[in-house]
Amino acid sequence: MELKGLEQVRDLLDQAYQTNMGRSCIPESEQAIADFEQKYDVRLPAQYRDLLLEYGACNFGGPALYSVKELDWAYPAFVEAYREYEKEYDLPENLNPFPIGGFGEGSIAFLERNSGKVLMLIHDYSGEIPLQEVAKHFNGLMEILAESAIWVQEQMNEFR
């Protein structure tokens, strides 16, 4: 399967998923994704969907990307949390967010489907707007995460 839109980071992804951190990742089935999409009447963003189908979710650092099983609890929790944030903060009205991962301390990475940017919804934020840009686009995020996994593997190999 060729990844639509991820071609420019494919070599990095291939390397990253061969590292110790990537070897345990399991690609998702088309059926699991279709079941999720039907259950929540939502379509996964194309590049994220393709990544899950070809490689599976990854935890190469922050954010750890959600698997379909994790999305089953993370998606409805995100929708509820985002509604609460909209009440509390003056969030931009044109955002079309889809959660793709978590940072461990409660912040959530989401793909903003209109712009393609990856943003962080910051947990327990006390400023004006609880959003921070993580990457200009999904490929940028995957490049950062893949390079991190490769670097960690190289460091581990030096000490063997």
Side-chain angles (χ1 to χ4, degrees):
M1 171 192 309
E2 190 67 26
L3 293 179
K4 301 173 212 113
L6 291 176
E7 293 84 6
Q8 65 194 94
V9 292
R10 188 179 228 340
D11 288 343
L12 280 174
L13 290 173
D14 287 344
Q15 291 176 50
Y17 277 86
Q18 290 304 310
T19 66
N20 287 345
M21 291 188 288
R23 283 189 197 119
S24 63
C25 299
I26 301 168
E28 301 285 353
S29 71
E30 182 70 48
Q31 187 62 52
I33 291 174
D35 290 348
F36 171 85
E37 291 175 333
Q38 182 177 7
K39 180 177 180 178
Y40 293 103
D41 192 26
V42 66
R43 181 101 170 127
L44 270 65
Q47 289 175 309
Y48 176 53
R49 185 180 211 281
D50 290 341
L51 179 85
L52 292 177
L53 284 169
E54 178 71 15
Y55 296 100
C58 66
N59 185 1
F60 298 149
L65 297 185
Y66 296 137
S67 66
V68 173
K69 183 177 181 179
E70 292 165 323
L71 274 174
D72 198 39
W73 61 261
Y75 180 77
F78 174 79
V79 169
E80 183 178 322
Y82 194 80
R83 286 184 185 135
E84 292 301 315
Y85 276 84
E86 285 180 310
K87 292 176 188 174
E88 190 173 339
Y89 299 97
D90 188 23
L91 298 179
E93 291 181 23
N94 61 340
L95 293 183
N96 187 4
F98 188 91
I100 60 171
F103 287 92
E105 90 299 346
S107 295
I108 302 167
F110 68 87
L111 185 60
E112 202 293 297
R113 292 178 275 197
N114 294 328
S115 68
K117 291 181 180 182
V118 178
L119 302 173
M120 178 188 337
L121 183 62
I122 304 169
H123 179 67
D124 287 339
Y125 190 72
S126 61
E128 200 169 308
I129 297 180
L131 299 174
Q132 180 179 348
E133 186 175 303
V134 175
K136 298 265 183 226
H137 43 75
F138 190 75
N139 282 351
L141 174 66
M142 294 316 303
E143 185 175 332
I144 292 165
L145 294 177
E147 287 176 348
S148 174
I150 294 165
W151 182 85
V152 168
Q153 186 68 47
E154 288 170 352
Q155 300 310 303
M156 291 172 55
N157 290 346
E158 283 185 29
F159 293 104
R160 287 186 183 179

